[in-house]
């Protein structure tokens, strides 16, 4: 029996997707540029919200809803069939990623009139398994689309059956252990891989999402007011706390506030919009980088007005959605008609 969709997950997934697209559009104007310059005035939203980089907030929300969604689907099962679980996760990630990568590579090959790289060819294996973006955070790979989040979510899926079992049997202990490991890592981490992509620093967000679906379920005033206080105080006081810590507690507080707000948007139009964005969110995640890069490269950003920047963003957003739908529909057709058993 198909489970009823949780609207607040679609609602937050849609917001998170929009945040990620906005983040990478804004980055065109501020990445590698002097803070406070004229280009910074053309961002479509502030670079930071609640004293946190807006991109970090979007990613945090994605991790939370990923844990929540997995727990909602598998938390009621007495036993998870590992073969079926991993096959579904594999099919949900890799075929669309490979298809998008091939299309992107061929397009760039044509535009650049060839292909040249100093990256050792053996590293293409990282692309095949979806870790090129993840590893590109500290070394050279054949990374073209998507981002580090893909590799991290693959790692999380690998341990997800264990996490579901642990959360069901020892929910509080599981969360506390994840917090202890997370805190120790943030305080003492000293490796070349950015700490934000290390799976153990994302588990508190994932496990919180799982706990929410399994045990909390609704956001009452008792949860809402402290969450709002966290966001307000973090904005007003702007504490110099480690970004990893801020990302986690601001992400969780924002999630709780959005769950509460979502009940006021639970009507047909909003449900359809959020459902559609959620449906194509992975495809959007895969293509938006290149769409934004290719479109904005055709404009002189120095002479672009603030108003035109908003129009340009809407253009990038529209084209991203169009290509996402094409990618989604193509992958679905190939899987059901060409590669079916």
């Amino acid at each position: 029996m198909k489970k009823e969709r949780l609207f607040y997950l679609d609602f937050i997934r849609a917001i998170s997707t929009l945040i990620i697209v906005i983040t990478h559009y804004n980055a065109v104007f501020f990445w590698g540029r002097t803070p406070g310059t004229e280009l910074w005035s053309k961002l479509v939203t502030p670079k930071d919200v609640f004293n946190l980089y807006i991109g970090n907030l979007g990613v945090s929300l994605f991790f939370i809803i990923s844990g929540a969604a997995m727990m909602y689907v598998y938390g009621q099962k007495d036993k998870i069939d590992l073969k079926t679980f991993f096959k579904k996760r594999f099919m949900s990630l890799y075929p669309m990623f490979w298809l998008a990568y091939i299309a992107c590579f061929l397009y760039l090959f044509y535009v650049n009139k060839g292909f040249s790289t100093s990256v050792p060819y053996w590293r293409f294996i990282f692309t095949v398994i979806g870790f090129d973006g993840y590893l590109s955070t500290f070394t050279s790979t054949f990374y073209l689309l998507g981002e580090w989040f893909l590799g991290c979510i693959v790692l999380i899926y690998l341990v997800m059956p264990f996490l579901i079992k642990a959360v069901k049997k020892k929910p509080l202990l599981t969360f506390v252990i994840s917090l202890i490991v997370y805190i120790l890592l943030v305080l003492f981490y000293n490796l070349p891989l950015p700490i934000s992509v290390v799976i153990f620093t994302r588990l508190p967000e994932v496990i919180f999402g799982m706990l929410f679906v399994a045990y909390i379920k609704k956001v009452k005033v008792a949860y809402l007011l402290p969450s709002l206080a966290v966001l307000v105080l973090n904005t007003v006081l702007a504490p110099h706390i480690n970004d990893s810590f801020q990302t986690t507690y601001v992400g969780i507080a924002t999630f709780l506030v959005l769950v509460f707000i979502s009940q006021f948007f639970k009507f047909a139009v909003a449900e359809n919009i959020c459902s559609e964005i959620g449906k194509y969110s992975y495809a959007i995640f895969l293509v938006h980088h290149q769409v934004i890069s290719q479109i904005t490269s055709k404009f002189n950003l120095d002479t672009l007005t603030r108003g035109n920047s908003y129009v340009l963003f809407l253009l990038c957003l529209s084209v991203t959605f169009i290509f996402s739908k094409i990618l989604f529909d193509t992958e679905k057709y190939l899987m059901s008609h060409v590669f079916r058993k």
Side-chain angles (χ1 to χ4, degrees):
M1 181 178 177
K2 190 174 182 180
K3 302 193 73 170
E4 178 187 357
R5 293 185 68 87
L6 296 177
F7 172 68
Y8 67 80
L9 291 183
D10 283 338
F11 180 73
I12 299 175
R13 185 178 288 107
I15 291 175
S16 304
T17 301
L18 184 59
I19 288 176
I20 295 301
V21 177
I22 288 173
T23 297
H24 293 118
Y25 176 80
N26 281 347
V28 174
F29 294 92
F30 70 74
W31 190 259
R33 305 180 192 274
T34 305
T37 58
E38 185 180 352
L39 280 176
W40 277 53
S41 69
K42 301 172 184 179
L43 307 185
V44 295
T45 66
K47 178 176 175 286
D48 301 314
V49 291
F50 310 128
N51 195 45
L52 182 71
Y53 178 47
I54 191 172
N56 290 346
L57 175 60
V59 170
S60 180
L61 290 174
F62 261 122
F63 278 118
I64 294 171
I65 61 176
S66 295
M70 287 292 100
M71 193 66 184
Y72 183 63
V73 173
Y74 294 98
Q76 300 301 317
K77 297 180 181 295
D78 294 329
K79 184 178 180 181
I80 297 176
D81 185 315
L82 294 181
K83 181 179 178 181
T84 302
F85 176 85
F86 288 121
K87 181 180 179 180
K88 285 186 176 180
R89 302 284 71 77
F90 179 93
M91 297 304 294
S92 71
L93 294 177
Y94 284 110
M96 190 178 296
F97 170 68
W98 292 335
L99 180 62
Y101 191 93
I102 292 170
C104 181
F105 175 83
L106 293 176
Y107 172 77
L108 293 177
F109 180 84
Y110 172 77
V111 169
N112 298 323
K113 310 305 179 187
F115 171 75
S116 177
T117 181
S118 59
V119 180
Y121 288 125
W122 67 265
R123 293 189 184 180
F124 188 68
I125 186 63
F126 298 138
T127 297
V128 174
I129 62 175
F131 277 79
D132 49 1
Y134 186 85
L135 297 176
S136 70
T137 55
F138 74 98
T139 190
S140 57
T141 66
F142 290 94
Y143 170 54
L144 292 180
L145 46 73
E147 53 186 291
W148 65 265
F149 180 83
L150 175 57
C152 198
I153 205 67
V154 169
L155 294 176
I156 288 173
Y157 281 163
L158 288 175
V159 299
M160 183 57 70
F162 167 77
L163 290 179
I164 292 173
K165 185 176 181 180
V167 168
K168 288 170 65 176
K169 289 191 172 183
K170 301 287 183 179
L172 183 59
L173 180 62
T174 301
F175 189 57
V176 169
I177 290 175
S178 73
L179 279 179
I180 292 173
V181 173
Y182 156 76
I183 291 170
L184 291 175
L185 268 175
V186 173
L187 293 177
F188 302 107
Y189 188 78
N190 188 28
L191 294 174
L193 189 68
I195 192 169
S196 61
V197 311
V198 176
I199 180 177
F200 296 106
T201 64
R202 312 311 311 213
L203 286 184
E205 295 158 312
V206 174
I207 293 173
F208 175 80
M210 299 170 73
L211 291 171
F212 183 87
V213 163
Y215 304 103
I216 302 174
K217 300 182 186 298
K218 293 183 179 181
V219 175
K220 300 178 181 179
V221 175
Y223 299 122
L224 175 67
L225 294 182
S227 300
L228 286 172
V230 166
L231 299 183
V232 171
L233 290 174
N234 215 63
T235 302
V236 175
L237 299 178
H240 297 290
I241 299 174
N242 187 291
D243 280 350
S244 292
F245 288 140
Q246 290 195 65
T247 297
T248 302
Y249 69 72
V250 169
I252 289 174
T254 303
F255 173 83
L256 291 172
V257 171
L258 289 176
V259 171
F260 181 84
I261 292 174
S262 69
Q263 64 184 306
F264 302 106
F265 289 86
K266 202 173 187 304
F267 48 85
V269 175
E271 288 181 333
N272 290 337
I273 291 174
C274 292
S275 177
E276 282 297 291
I277 295 176
K279 177 181 177 181
Y280 298 112
S281 60
Y282 181 49
I284 291 171
F285 161 79
L286 290 175
V287 307
H288 77 280
H289 266 302
Q290 282 295 340
V291 169
I292 291 171
S293 176
Q294 294 301 314
I295 291 179
T296 57
S297 67
K298 309 302 180 184
F299 288 79
N300 185 338
L301 302 182
D302 293 311
T303 61
L304 196 72
T305 66
R306 184 177 178 83
N308 283 337
S309 177
Y310 281 99
V311 176
L312 181 57
F313 170 71
L314 291 175
L315 174 62
C316 290
L317 193 63
S318 300
V319 175
T320 293
F321 189 81
I322 291 170
F323 276 99
S324 299
K325 188 176 189 316
I326 292 173
L327 174 61
F328 181 92
D329 291 344
T330 302
E331 188 267 347
K332 185 176 181 181
Y333 176 83
L334 290 175
M335 290 300 101
S336 60
H337 293 83
V338 179
F339 298 109
R340 65 181 178 181
K341 292 183 179 180

